[in-house]
Amino acid sequence: SICISLVLSPNILLSSEFAHGSHSLEREKIDLCSAGSFDRTFEDRLNQAKELLFERRYSAAEQTFREIIDDPAAFRSNLPRLADVHNYLGVTLHCQQRDAEAVQSYKRALFLQPKVFPSAIRAQIYSNLALSFSSMAMREEALKSCRLALDHFRHSDVDVLTYSVFLNAYGQLLIED
């Protein structure tokens, strides 16, 4: 059994064991993105969706994330913010074992995430993408995503725990290769 981490935000990791209910972790609460100031209603909806995700109420979380994505006024032309929500949606879909849809959500997040944005954010999205590919037994794609995540992690100021969990997961994929 491979345990690759879902990286929900710069300081939150969610192992696949936790996502599927076989392991419990105490989670940290942090803001999704510190850039910009957003409408209170948007923040409330986003926090509600994140709470639903952490409570493992995946259908409700998915619906709320999709409602946020479908509301263009919520982003005020802030594509990195939209990318973060797509990343969360991908995590939610993965937790429901709907990895093909999760992959599409992560790809949208990468498309929307400007390359000038911090490498750690792109690394986390690639790490999540690797997890979904691995769940679908697409090892080559999972390894490629891990390598891309590793390249971005190397050029970022990521905390040691996030980096070590990722390296452990990558190592597991390599061992099985």
Side-chain angles (χ1 to χ4, degrees), residues 83-142:
D84 284 335
V85 178
H86 274 287
N87 188 41
Y88 268 99
L89 176 61
V91 170
T92 304
L93 294 166
H94 169 77
C95 290
Q96 296 176 82
Q97 299 177 345
R98 292 165 50 198
D99 288 292
E101 292 173 79
V103 165
Q104 293 308 310
S105 194
Y106 297 136
K107 286 181 177 181
R108 278 187 217 102
L110 289 167
F111 176 77
L112 294 168
Q113 189 69 49
K115 290 187 173 38
V116 296
F117 231 64
S119 290
I121 295 169
R122 291 185 71 80
Q124 292 162 357
I125 297 169
Y126 277 119
S127 179
N128 291 343
L129 185 61
L131 177 59
S132 284
F133 279 139
S134 179
S135 293
M136 296 186 319
M138 299 175 71
R139 295 184 45 68
E140 287 304 312
E141 291 85 350

Side-chain angles (χ1 to χ4, degrees), residues 8-33:
L8 296 177
S9 65
N11 295 323
I12 298 176
L13 271 75
L14 177 65
S15 74
S16 60
E17 293 170 351
F18 176 80
H20 297 297
S22 63
H23 184 72
S24 67
L25 293 175
E26 192 170 314
R27 66 179 164 82
E28 274 182 76
K29 282 185 167 182
I30 69 165
D31 289 333
L32 179 64
C33 178

